[in-house]
Amino acid sequence: MKHWYPTEEDIEEASASLRQGGLIGWPTETVYGLAGNALDAGAVAAIFAAKGRPTFDPLIVHAPDMEAAFALTSEVPPEARRLAESFWPGPLTLVMPRRADLPELLSAGLPTVALRVPAHSVARKVLVSAGIPLAAPSANRFGRISPTCAEHVLEEMQGQDRVAGVLDAGPCTLGVESTVVGFPGRGRVVVYRTGGLPVEVLREVAPGIEVVDVRRAEDDPGLAVRGEQSPGMLARHYAPRTPLRLLEPGRMPPPAPGRTRGWLCFSAVPEGKGPVEVLSTEGDPEVAATRLFACLRRLDAAEVDEIIAWRVPNHGLGRAINDRLSRAAT
Ligand code: AMP
Ligand code: MG
């Protein structure tokens, strides 16, 4: 696997492998993606294979600007256009009716496609230089912790020969995945996955926005009929190999003599033996989001019997952090 840097030559070389059907590890403001040509069914299949991702879990397609993104749809709901105009480029994914000629696997057979215009300058340079839309899920093996720096991608993708290289632009500035929003009809605007764009901010433009509890989405006729409940919202995901126990703030786990523990704290350090990671000593959810996945990886590598983590305040980026922690814990 090549290790590229954001020089003009390296960006051109990475873009050339994308045009030839190869895959690359690719920096965005959310997490590192595993990118391939979204219009090439072979490249799309290779992404699923390299990640070990089940084929019912659709991919997000990235475009250099709003017009290029909308060109991949068969229809743009007015609410989607309003959100795109306000928040693209940025950590927002919009699920819209798909153009019929896109590879089926991209959408896992759904009638919709998930689209995003990323804000990261290197990501945008690659999109422009490659001249194709890029399908890019996070560059980790399925179910595992998302990569927030190039070294994580090298770790996750070693031995995958369809992956030509990773383009290293340093650590991601946001650290959690995009917020996914869909439009299941009757003017509804629904958050399928909380993420890097806080719901409070979306609400300023879409006051009626709903946050769906994915465990209940199947009971919602508006979502189930169109098959639009987000298929990738699995209970266990973003998970370290070490069992993780998630506690309410202020609680301590019962003593467990003989078991080693690692601690993932929001701001305060608990009393206890073993490795400790503090997400943000200042208690800042934005800082915590950038550090979340790297802290989880270090605790996982510490080879303790159990990781103890605490929920963070549930607003702003805190919602996305709690979502990832609860799915790491299940
Ligand atoms: P990621 O693993 O970060 O690439 O996230 C992709 C997620 O976006 C999927 O797991 C789904 O939850 C969601 N998604 C992608 N495409 C669609 C779609 N067509 N309909 C609903 N949700 C989608
Ligand atoms: Mg992922």
Side-chain angles (χ1 to χ4, degrees):
M1 227 191 289
K2 291 227 167 132
H3 197 143
W4 291 302
Y5 292 91
T7 61
E8 237 171 79
E9 293 100 303
D10 279 13
I11 288 177
E12 186 37 54
E13 202 178 306
S15 308
S17 31
L18 287 167
R19 283 192 297 269
Q20 288 152 20
L23 309 183
I24 70 162
W26 178 61
T28 79
E29 70 275 31
T30 57
V31 301
Y32 271 73
L34 180 65
N37 182 355
L39 306 178
D40 172 349
V44 171
I47 293 175
F48 280 89
K51 281 184 59 94
R53 183 174 174 116
T55 53
F56 60 75
D57 190 359
L59 305 182
I60 295 172
V61 181
H62 299 72
D65 56 53
M66 189 167 73
E67 289 323 309
F70 287 172
L72 302 170
T73 67
S74 61
E75 178 202 329
V76 178
E79 301 83 4
R81 183 175 292 276
R82 241 192 348 261
L83 290 174
E85 281 168 352
S86 305
F87 300 116
W88 278 355
L92 173 66
T93 295
L94 301 175
V95 175
M96 286 180 267
R98 67 199 286 269
R99 223 173 63 192
D101 60 325
L102 300 180
E104 291 236 311
L105 185 53
L106 199 55
S107 310
L110 294 172
T112 46
V113 61
L115 297 166
R116 180 164 102 83
V117 176
H120 195 290
S121 64
V122 177
R124 292 164 66 78
K125 280 182 189 160
V126 173
L127 282 164
V128 169
S129 149
I132 41 179
L134 296 177
S138 50
N140 51 281
R141 298 280 299 165
F142 180 71
R144 296 255 308 128
I145 306 168
S146 300
T148 52
C149 64
E151 287 71 28
H152 297 164
V153 180
L154 292 167
E155 247 169 73
E156 291 284 327
M157 290 297 145
Q158 59 180 328
Q160 301 294 328
D161 50 9
R162 278 297 284 265
V163 185
V166 58
L167 182 51
D168 187 344
C172 298
T173 48
L174 199 52
V176 288
E177 295 82 355
S178 60
T179 304
V180 179
V181 171
F183 309 91
R186 298 170 185 264
R188 291 178 71 188
V189 181
V190 176
V191 176
Y192 292 145
R193 173 178 78 185
T194 54
L197 188 65
V199 176
E200 293 86 343
V201 177
L202 281 161
R203 197 163 274 141
E204 289 166 18
V205 174
I209 197 164
E210 307 164 56
V211 182
V212 163
D213 177 348
V214 286
R215 283 156 302 188
R216 300 226 202 96
E218 278 165 29
D219 302 336
D220 183 326
L223 300 182
V225 164
R226 296 191 34 182
E228 269 193 23
Q229 70 270 40
S230 239
M233 302 296 283
L234 299 181
R236 186 168 165 79
H237 209 145
Y238 311 102
R241 295 193 175 91
T242 314
L244 183 145
R245 184 198 293 234
L246 184 58
L247 300 175
E248 295 303 323
R251 304 299 285 270
M252 279 299 284
R259 276 174 76 74
T260 56
R261 282 169 160 168
W263 309 84
L264 180 66
C265 327
F266 179 43
S267 54
V269 179
E271 285 185 29
K273 283 202 199 107
V276 175
E277 295 285 345
V278 180
L279 289 172
S280 163
T281 46
E282 311 283 299
D284 180 342
E286 285 184 26
V287 175
T290 61
R291 293 175 38 78
L292 174 66
F293 290 133
C295 288
L296 274 174
R297 261 174 207 275
R298 282 195 294 271
L299 289 173
D300 207 12
E303 301 199 341
V304 288
D305 297 326
E306 184 180 34
I307 298 171
I308 306 292
W310 284 268
R311 281 183 195 283
V312 308
N314 203 42
H315 51 76
L317 289 183
R319 274 186 209 253
I321 296 174
N322 286 335
D323 169 75
R324 305 307 185 266
L325 284 175
S326 60
R327 285 194 273 149
T330 303

